[in-house]
C-alpha cells in the first residue's frame, strides 16, 4: 500500500503543490495564484484548495511547505519576505496549520531547493554542500554531513548577505559589500549600466560578452572574482565539497569553468582542491519537491 505526502511551495504571487509517494515519485503537480493582496484567509483558502486538488483523494499523511524568508514558529511570521508584506504579519502559517488535517513542516524555500538538489545530484557523492539561488536575490541552503543545517532560528546560509567589501556597494539589506549587491541579476545589470549606460538582464550581457563587448567582459571578469572569493569564504568556513548553483543567473555558462580556479587559489588548508560548481538540475520544481521531502521525513521515510 502506497503512502503519500504533499509538498507546497508558497511564493509571492503563486502557490504550487505536488503529491509524492514513499519512493519520492511525483504523482501530481499543480499551481494557482496565492493572492496575498486579498488577505491571509484568502491565501490559506487558495493553499487548501490547491492541496485538495493535487492530492485528488489520496490519503496524504503529512505536508511540507517552502516559504519566502525564514518562518519563525515563536512569532508565527516569515521574516525576510519584504516583497510580500502579508507574509511578514503573524498568523498565516498557524491558520493553515489549524485547517490542514495533517502535520505541516515549514522551511525556507532556499532550504527546500537545497534538499531537492542534494538528493538529485549529490547524495552518496558529496555529504557537505551549499546550494545557492542566484536570481533577483541571493539565497542559499546548507547540507552539512548529509543533514539539512537550518540553525536555531532557521537562518543559516544567508551568504547573499555576507560582505566581501566592508566599504563596498550598498545592499538592499542596508549593509555594504554583500554578495547579493554584486552578483544578483539586477546587480549585474546595474554594473553593466554603469559601464555602458544601458541596463540589461544577465543573459543579454552574456550575449554581448560572447560577441566581444569589452564592457560585458569587464562585468563578468569582476563577477567571477567576486563569486570565487565569496564561495571560497564559505568553503573555508564550512569545508564544503561542492556548490550547487540555481536561479536565473545560474544559466550563464562561464561561472562553472571560471569560478572554481579562483576559489582554488583562495582556499585555506589542504592544498590543490578544486570545489566543483554544479548547475541545478531540477529547474523550478526543486522548491516544491524539497518541501515534499520535509513531509516524507516527518513520516520517517527520509533522513536528512
Ligand atoms: Zn545585504
Amino acid at each position: 500500500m502506497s503512502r503519500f505526502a504533499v509538498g507546497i511551495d508558497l511564493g509571492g504571487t503563486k502557490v504550487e503543490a505536488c503529491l509524492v509517494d514513499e519512493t519520492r515519485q511525483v504523482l501530481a503537480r499543480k499551481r494557482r495564484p496565492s493572492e496575498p493582496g486579498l488577505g491571509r484567509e484568502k491565501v490559506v483558502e487558495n493553499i487548501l484548495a490547491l492541496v485538495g486538488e493535487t492530492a485528488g483523494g489520496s490519503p496524504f499523511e503529512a505536508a511540507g511547505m517552502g516559504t519566502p524568508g525564514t518562518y519563525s514558529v515563536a512569532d508565527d511570521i516569515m521574516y525576510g519576505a519584504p516583497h510580500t508584506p502579508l507574509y511578514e504579519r503573524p498568523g498565516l502559517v498557524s491558520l493553515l496549520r489549524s485547517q490542514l488535517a495533517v502535520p505541516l513542516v515549514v522551511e525556507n524555500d532556499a532550504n527546500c531547493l537545497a534538499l531537492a538538489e542534494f538528493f538529485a545530484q549529490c547524495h552518496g557523492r558529496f555529504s557537505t554542500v551549499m546550494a545557492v539561488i542566484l536570481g533577483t536575490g541571493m539565497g542559499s541552503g546548507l547540507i552539512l554531513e548529509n543533514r539539512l543545517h537550518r540553525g536555531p532560528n532557521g537562518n543559516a546560509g544567508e551568504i547573499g548577505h555576507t560582505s566581501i567589501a566592508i566599504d563596498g556597494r550598498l545592499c538592499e539589506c542596508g549593509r555594504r559589500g554583500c554578495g547579493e549587491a554584486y552578483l544578483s541579476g539586477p546587480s549585474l545589470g546595474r554594473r553593466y549600466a554603469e559601464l555602458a549606460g544601458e541596463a540589461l538582464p544577465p543573459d543579454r550581457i552574456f550575449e554581448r560578452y560572447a560577441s566581444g563587448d569589452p564592457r560585458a567582459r569587464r562585468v563578468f571578469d569582476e563577477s567571477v572574482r567576486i563569486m570565487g572569493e565569496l564561495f571560497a569564504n564559505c568553503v573555508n568556513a564550512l569545508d564544503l565539497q561542492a556548490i550547487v548553483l540555481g536561479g536565473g543567473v545560474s544559466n550563464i555558462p562561464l561561472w562553472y569553468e571560471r569560478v572554481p580556479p579562483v576559489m582554488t587559489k583562495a582556499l585555506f588548508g589542504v592544498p590543490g582542491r578544486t570545489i566543483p560548481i554544479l548547475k541545478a538540475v531540477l529547474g523550478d520544481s526543486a522548491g516544491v519537491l524539497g518541501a515534499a521531502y520535509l513531509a516524507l521525513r516527518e513520516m520517517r521515510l527520509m533522513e536528512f
Side-chain angles (χ1 to χ4, degrees):
M1 177 102 162
S2 285
R3 297 178 68 188
F4 303 102
V6 163
I8 304 164
D9 185 12
L10 179 64
T13 57
K14 63 172 177 52
V15 55
E16 188 168 347
C18 73
L19 178 74
V20 300
D21 65 13
E22 75 282 3
T23 67
R24 300 178 209 160
Q25 194 73 33
V26 177
L27 305 172
R29 187 177 155 199
K30 292 181 189 299
R31 63 169 66 179
R32 64 157 65 195
S34 53
E35 301 182 294
L38 300 181
R40 167 175 93 182
E41 282 72 18
K42 186 64 187 173
V43 174
V44 169
E45 193 187 307
N46 281 327
I47 296 172
L48 291 170
L50 180 70
V51 165
E53 206 181 297
T54 308
S58 299
F60 60 97
E61 295 169 51
M65 182 166 78
T67 64
T70 298
Y71 177 66
S72 158
V73 181
D75 305 325
D76 196 17
I77 286 177
M78 292 167 219
Y79 287 106
H83 304 296
T84 316
L86 177 76
Y87 298 166
E88 291 204 319
R89 287 201 292 273
L92 191 139
V93 171
S94 56
L95 182 66
L96 176 63
R97 218 185 273 284
S98 71
Q99 296 193 22
L100 201 64
V102 298
L104 173 69
V105 190
V106 180
E107 193 55 79
N108 169 258
D109 51 11
N111 287 351
C112 292
L113 176 134
L115 270 178
E117 289 289 343
F118 175 72
F119 281 99
Q121 57 174 331
C122 300
H123 190 236
R125 193 166 147 226
F126 304 117
S127 69
T128 299
V129 305
M130 174 171 74
V132 178
I133 314 174
L134 194 50
T136 49
M138 185 178 197
S140 87
L142 293 168
I143 310 287
L144 305 181
E145 302 192 60
N146 295 308
R147 301 251 159 216
L148 174 67
H149 179 74
R150 59 189 314 280
N153 298 301
N155 215 39
E158 290 293 355
I159 65 142
H161 302 284
T162 59
S163 178
I164 44 121
I166 56 172
D167 295 315
R169 245 190 263 172
L170 189 63
C171 180
E172 272 182 43
C173 75
R175 195 177 184 201
R176 284 196 177 272
C178 290
E180 183 174 299
Y182 296 92
L183 297 171
S184 72
S187 301
L188 294 170
R190 271 193 292 272
R191 182 64 183 131
Y192 186 73
E194 277 172 19
L195 298 169
E198 182 186 7
L200 291 178
D203 52 341
R204 296 282 313 284
I205 306 172
F206 183 71
E207 279 169 19
R208 301 228 175 153
Y209 167 90
S211 63
D213 175 351
R215 297 152 314 178
R217 170 164 291 278
R218 182 150 167 213
V219 170
F220 283 113
D221 286 350
E222 288 171 4
S223 309
V224 159
R225 254 192 88 208
I226 291 166
M227 187 183 287
E229 292 290 335
L230 180 66
F231 286 179
N233 285 345
C234 301
V235 176
N236 285 343
L238 298 164
D239 199 4
L240 302 170
Q241 296 167 299
I243 291 169
V244 179
L245 194 58
V249 176
S250 72
N251 294 328
I252 308 288
L254 57 76
W255 310 128
Y256 306 93
E257 300 130 41
R258 290 187 55 195
V259 174
V262 178
M263 290 164 68
T264 294
K265 281 191 213 143
L267 295 183
F268 189 82
V270 183
R273 280 173 298 158
T274 300
I275 306 297
I277 299 180
L278 310 171
K279 192 171 191 313
V281 291
L282 295 170
D284 64 358
S285 53
V288 75
L289 200 56
Y293 291 175
L294 296 169
L296 290 173
R297 179 173 68 173
E298 189 68 15
M299 293 156 64
R300 306 201 184 283
L301 294 171
M302 281 184 88
E303 223 180 293
F304 50 80

